[in-house]
Amino acid sequence: MTHPMRTNTSRRSFLGAVSGLAASAIVPSRALPLATSLAGMAAMATQSSHAATTGGYKALVCLYLSGGSDTHNWVVPVDASGYAEYAKARGELAWGAQQLQSITAANQGSGRSFGMPLELAPLRDLYEAGQAAIVANVGPLVRPITRAEYTAGIGIPAKLFSHNDQASTWQSLATEGAPSGWGGRMGDVLMSANANPVFTAVSASGNAVFLAGNQVSQYQVGQEGPVVVNAMNGSTLFGSSSASMALKRAYSASATDRIQQEYARVMQRSQAANSILQTALAGVNVPAIPSTAIAQVNAGPTTLDKLSLARQLRMVMQMIAANQALGMRRQVFMVQMGGFDTHNGQMRDQPTQMAQVAQSIGYFMSALTALGLQNNVTLFTASDFGRTLLSNGDGSDHGWGSHHFVVGGAVKGRQIAGQFPNTALGTANDIGSGRLLPSLGVTQMASSLASWMGLSSSEQQIVLPNLANFEAGPTLF
Amino acid sequence: MFRYKNPDISAAGDQLIDTLPMKAYPGMHSPSEKRLFAGKPQAVTMPAGASAQADLNTALDALFNHPNVGPFISRQLIQHLVASHPSPGYIARVAAVFNNNGKGVRGDLGAVARAILLDAEAANPPAGSVGKLREPVARVSHWMRSLAATSASGQYAINSDLEPLGQRPYYAGSVFGYFRPGYVPPNTTFSAEGITVPPMQIVNEATTAQWVNLAQRMASTGVGSTGTQFDVVASLQPLADMVAAGRLDALIDHLNLLLYAGRMSTSLRQDLMEAMLNVGGTDAEAHLNRARVAVFLALASPEYMVQR
């Protein structure tokens, strides 16, 4: 396949960036401390992006709900006929009307109104405060298609309904095996604005194609922060004063074996970034996660401060709070929570999951506000796919379009962007079993987010190769 | 491990469902006609009214006999046993044995394993090819076997030590496992050539650092902290005895054989020797420390990551 990124512009910037890297970062000299290899990375910042150099600090955070979240149950019609349709279509998967709290949504047609389950209250509060918007029925599209085209097999995205492929498509616009994601490609454009380009794309939840760039490597931080290698930071090891130096030397030396070489290169990055990050993080003071009680499925209650998602978000917030110390202007982050593949036990599991997500986002936004950074950060949710409206008896199966949230002080909140379909079987958006044909492409949602990050339309074409197939994205800011 | 919807598992013998072979539950079965691979040469139709067990058998047979299965499973087995990026020819030779073990039998996994391990590409990897990265679970198991580790509880409590390395046993983050067979590390010399290195998917700034810290515990206290003790502890005394007898070279040879299959580099051998000589003292604790520092460097070195 011809890679869509290989435009003249991107090739030029790629070559420029590589020549900066080759000087010192790939093969650090044995004589130099590992930390100086970052200077090579900083050399990549020679090329200026007009986009990123205007305006203050901005960070985009992807909150990935792994497994395919059933968002039919996150945003629910509450007007009499809308709710009746929903209850009929979902059967045992429908929330009772008393479990739903109404929200303000003016632009979805007269007589229509919507609500969110009580467990999502912190997210609903942000929505009502104008700091969160809902993006209705968004999903991967190559170009906009009609149900007739879908039925005729025209213009359908590859490998729909497949976890690994659709997770990859949401994150990269291509099926599994994609070399880069749109978060990483945004980083390619933006990294030159950062004094420490190594922290341009940061994952607090392991490796994700979303943050893989063509020049940017995602930096993966532990949810408790950078990991110190004890043996490289002490003087003697088991009474030997040479072992620590020998180990550092082994990780700095170039190797003929390619796997060994690459493994060592990751360690070099780790060590170089650690010293910089630890210094920067020491200077920030981020509000602690409250010990709010949180229900858990199949386990006793826990508290928010013990929840992985909240801790990942706190780590991200620490890095955001350190943006000036690190000389960062544009960053893309990823956090993740699993367990959303609700083929069975959906009504048992969803309340807990929604509470965990909403409480974590609530903490994130209130802490950012305390730091005065709420307008500099936008968080959005994403997931493998939406699910079937139709119940399988105990849960729902793999679908396509779904409803997502965009949260932040800069967001034009208290609105449902896009067209919220009728929550019923047999509608113009139903391709079978209540799988929604998306009315907005992921590309369009990504384009709106990229605009906020400052990417020009030509830069967006690089990041989102099929952008020209779509109308403008939703007005989210 | 996988169950769809919510079958009634109250029947006697069904409670340990996660450890039993897949079973059909008639109450969860649709009697309608089903078509697999419709429109393809491998199309199979399951007629209406067939029992759950009959449909299950038909479906499993149809999957097993699909021509993609041989290359699909062969590639992944080669990746796990020999090399991360096998050549198409290697995959084809193994797939041919999967398809027919020479006696007309399809799916003879013993013959497949033999074909993988005895292939010319396994014995003599072509120049420029990549081997495979030793994954964290394999590293810890290797250490346990090579140094006769024992478990106080009998349960080999290594889970909490492997979790920060991205490979908590029996607890992959996805139903697709810890890493994907098609994973090409982005932004590397591998990505330029489209070379797959699946275990690299869990190699990152955090896990590389965590491994060195874990190797330090493996070489000393042991792993699987219960708060008061360590559950899995290696037997280092035989190595300390070699030190006490002045047989430092023999100790290095021993680690080279067990942990490096005889491929330890000269510079790493020198590092081990220097580190041991650098430890002061002549008492038992000093000898044990020499053994510890040698084991530590052998496990923590980037050289140890490569299997080929």
Side-chain angles (χ1 to χ4, degrees):
Chain A
M1 185 187 99
T2 305
H3 199 277
M5 293 288 303
R6 296 264 162 85
T7 63
N8 287 334
T9 320
S10 69
R11 171 161 294 171
R12 254 201 320 277
S13 55
F14 176 72
L15 291 173
V18 165
S19 60
L21 248 186
S24 61
I26 290 177
V27 189
S29 154
R30 186 171 150 165
L32 292 172
L34 287 172
T36 54
S37 64
L38 264 201
M41 302 290 273
M44 297 174 79
T46 49
Q47 155 212 354
S48 115
S49 160
H50 88 271
T53 47
T54 56
Y57 173 79
K58 284 181 180 176
L60 183 65
V61 182
C62 173
L63 194 176
Y64 197 80
L65 310 171
S66 183
S69 177
D70 186 342
T71 54
H72 289 307
N73 270 6
W74 289 47
V75 185
V76 178
V78 295
D79 56 284
S81 66
Y83 180 80
E85 277 183 344
Y86 161 82
K88 180 169 177 236
R90 300 235 78 181
E92 64 268 34
L93 298 184
W95 303 124
Q98 77 287 352
Q99 288 163 274
L100 301 166
Q101 216 175 355
S102 69
I103 60 172
T104 309
N107 57 337
Q108 293 295 327
S110 66
R112 298 190 78 187
S113 53
F114 299 87
M116 285 160 64
L118 291 168
E119 288 81 2
L120 287 175
L123 193 48
R124 178 190 173 273
D125 292 346
L126 288 166
Y127 178 96
E128 288 298 317
Q131 295 198 318
I134 292 161
V135 182
N137 192 20
V138 57
L141 290 171
V142 180
R143 62 172 176 83
I145 58 168
T146 61
R147 193 172 67 153
E149 286 177 303
Y150 175 83
T151 309
I154 299 165
I156 302 176
K159 299 183 180 175
L160 286 175
F161 321 125
S162 149
H163 279 292
N164 47 336
D165 291 300
Q166 292 308 301
S168 176
T169 304
W170 252 95
Q171 297 181 29
S172 72
L173 306 182
T175 54
E176 187 182 79
S180 67
W182 53 269
R185 294 194 292 264
M186 283 176 63
D188 289 340
V189 175
L190 298 169
M191 68 193 291
S192 61
N194 296 328
N196 282 297
V198 66
F199 301 124
T200 299
V202 179
S203 170
S205 62
N207 193 336
V209 70
F210 175 66
L211 292 177
N214 292 294
Q215 295 128 63
V216 153
S217 288
Q218 60 186 307
Y219 175 75
Q220 298 180 60
V221 65
Q223 73 185 38
E224 311 307 329
V227 180
V228 176
V229 177
N230 302 321
M232 290 185 181
N233 287 280
S235 51
T236 64
L237 201 60
F238 305 120
S240 168
S241 58
S242 74
S244 183
M245 275 311 295
L247 188 68
K248 286 189 214 172
R249 207 164 51 234
Y251 276 100
S252 304
S254 63
T256 49
D257 185 276
R258 297 174 68 181
I259 289 179
Q260 180 182 340
Q261 174 78 23
E262 181 53 30
Y263 187 93
R265 201 166 74 96
V266 178
M267 176 65 103
Q268 289 163 22
R269 267 206 320 265
S270 170
Q271 293 304 297
N274 257 14
S275 52
I276 292 172
L277 195 52
Q278 279 174 317
T279 307
L281 292 184
V284 304
N285 192 6
V286 162
I289 308 171
S291 54
T292 316
I294 293 267
Q296 288 192 108
V297 177
N298 296 335
T302 183
T303 50
L304 188 62
D305 56 318
K306 296 194 174 67
L307 203 69
S308 169
L309 178 60
R311 297 177 81 103
Q312 291 173 46
L313 283 170
R314 183 165 193 273
M315 187 62 234
V316 166
M317 191 163 16
Q318 286 182 285
M319 293 192 69
I320 288 172
N323 74 79
Q324 290 192 0
L326 291 168
M328 305 305 287
R329 305 199 62 157
R330 292 290 185 277
Q331 283 177 290
V332 188
F333 293 93
M334 177 135 168
V335 296
Q336 197 158 186
M337 173 174 159
F340 290 89
D341 194 18
T342 50
H343 290 289
N344 56 314
Q346 178 167 313
M347 298 310 270
R348 175 197 65 201
D349 295 351
Q350 265 200 321
T352 299
Q353 293 170 341
M354 292 190 299
Q356 295 190 348
V357 171
Q359 301 268 3
S360 297
I361 294 176
Y363 156 71
F364 185 63
M365 279 306 294
S366 76
L368 279 175
T369 304
L371 295 167
L373 287 165
Q374 74 278 11
N375 297 333
N376 303 77
V377 181
T378 296
L379 174 148
F380 69 98
T381 59
S383 192
D384 309 9
F385 35 59
R387 304 189 77 85
T388 58
L389 264 177
L390 194 65
S391 170
N392 64 27
D394 195 33
S396 56
D397 299 331
H398 302 179
W400 189 357
S402 61
H403 315 309
H404 283 286
F405 289 84
V406 181
V407 185
V411 171
K412 185 172 178 284
R414 214 159 72 137
Q415 60 149 339
I416 298 179
Q419 292 170 287
F420 201 99
N422 285 356
T423 311
L425 297 168
T427 65
N429 289 96
D430 179 10
I431 57 156
S433 303
R435 294 184 171 95
L436 291 177
L437 173 63
S439 39
L440 266 180
V442 170
T443 306
Q444 287 165 289
M445 178 169 152
S447 164
S448 299
L449 298 169
S451 290
W452 177 73
M453 286 291 273
L455 272 73
S456 68
S457 55
S458 62
E459 287 166 337
Q460 288 181 37
Q461 300 266 3
I462 296 171
V463 173
L464 307 164
N466 64 347
L467 184 61
N469 297 345
F470 295 92
E471 291 176 8
T475 307
L476 296 174
F477 298 94
Chain B
M1 303 294 276
F2 175 78
R3 96 180 82 143
Y4 184 70
K5 294 171 55 171
N6 219 7
D8 177 4
I9 53 167
S10 59
D14 273 10
Q15 281 81 30
L16 296 175
I17 182 170
D18 289 345
T19 62
L20 295 169
M22 187 152 59
K23 176 177 168 176
Y25 286 83
M28 309 301 291
H29 180 67
S30 162
S32 310
E33 180 189 274
K34 298 158 201 79
R35 286 180 227 165
L36 298 179
F37 311 125
K40 305 267 168 60
Q42 301 79 29
V44 171
T45 300
M46 294 183 257
S51 72
Q53 190 62 52
D55 275 357
L56 180 61
N57 292 346
T58 309
L60 288 175
D61 286 346
L63 288 172
F64 174 68
N65 287 312
H66 193 285
N68 288 0
V69 170
F72 179 82
I73 197 95
S74 298
R75 173 179 178 233
Q76 295 199 38
L77 287 171
I78 296 168
Q79 286 183 317
H80 279 286
L81 293 171
V82 176
S84 280
H85 191 73
S87 73
Y90 189 4
I91 297 169
R93 290 190 293 276
V94 175
V97 173
F98 180 92
N99 294 343
N100 182 346
N101 68 352
K103 296 172 190 162
V105 177
R106 178 180 175 81
D108 176 352
L109 291 181
V112 168
R114 200 177 307 122
I116 290 170
L117 298 174
L118 300 181
D119 192 272
E121 196 167 321
N124 299 300
S129 70
V130 297
K132 92 187 188 52
L133 184 100
R134 206 187 294 275
E135 57 197 280
V137 164
R139 291 176 221 159
V140 173
S141 318
H142 193 197
W143 162 74
M144 290 195 293
R145 284 174 179 275
S146 301
L147 297 173
T150 52
S151 163
S153 70
Q155 296 181 341
Y156 290 89
I158 58 174
N159 273 6
S160 56
D161 293 275
L162 277 162
E163 188 161 14
L165 286 154
Q167 205 174 32
R168 178 177 163 186
Y170 304 113
Y171 220 84
S174 149
V175 291
F176 297 99
Y178 301 95
F179 38 76
R180 300 289 298 142
Y183 180 71
V184 176
N187 251 321
T188 60
T189 63
F190 301 119
S191 57
E193 298 168 48
I195 291 174
T196 54
V197 193
M200 206 59 122
Q201 199 165 358
I202 54 171
V203 170
N204 61 52
E205 291 84 350
T207 58
T208 48
Q210 295 278 11
W211 169 252
V212 176
N213 290 342
L214 178 56
Q216 197 176 340
R217 299 198 292 280
M218 288 157 72
S220 54
T221 57
V223 307
S225 171
T226 61
T228 52
Q229 60 169 354
F230 292 88
D231 186 54
V232 186
V233 180
S235 167
L236 296 180
Q237 195 54 49
L239 298 177
D241 292 345
M242 291 166 99
V243 176
R247 300 176 59 221
L248 298 186
D249 267 317
L251 183 153
I252 295 172
D253 286 342
H254 187 71
L255 293 179
N256 183 19
L257 177 66
L258 293 180
L259 295 175
Y260 280 78
R263 300 173 61 96
M264 189 183 284
S265 70
T266 314
S267 66
L268 184 57
R269 287 188 65 104
Q270 283 168 359
D271 286 342
L272 262 60
M273 180 60 81
E274 206 176 306
M276 286 193 286
L277 292 173
N278 203 264
V279 177
T282 52
D283 59 359
E285 182 65 13
H287 293 326
L288 193 55
N289 271 336
R290 291 189 181 94
R292 285 172 177 152
V293 81
V295 169
F296 167 72
L297 283 178
L299 290 170
S301 162
E303 223 174 279
Y304 176 64
M305 297 304 142
V306 182
Q307 263 181 306
R308 58 180 310 160

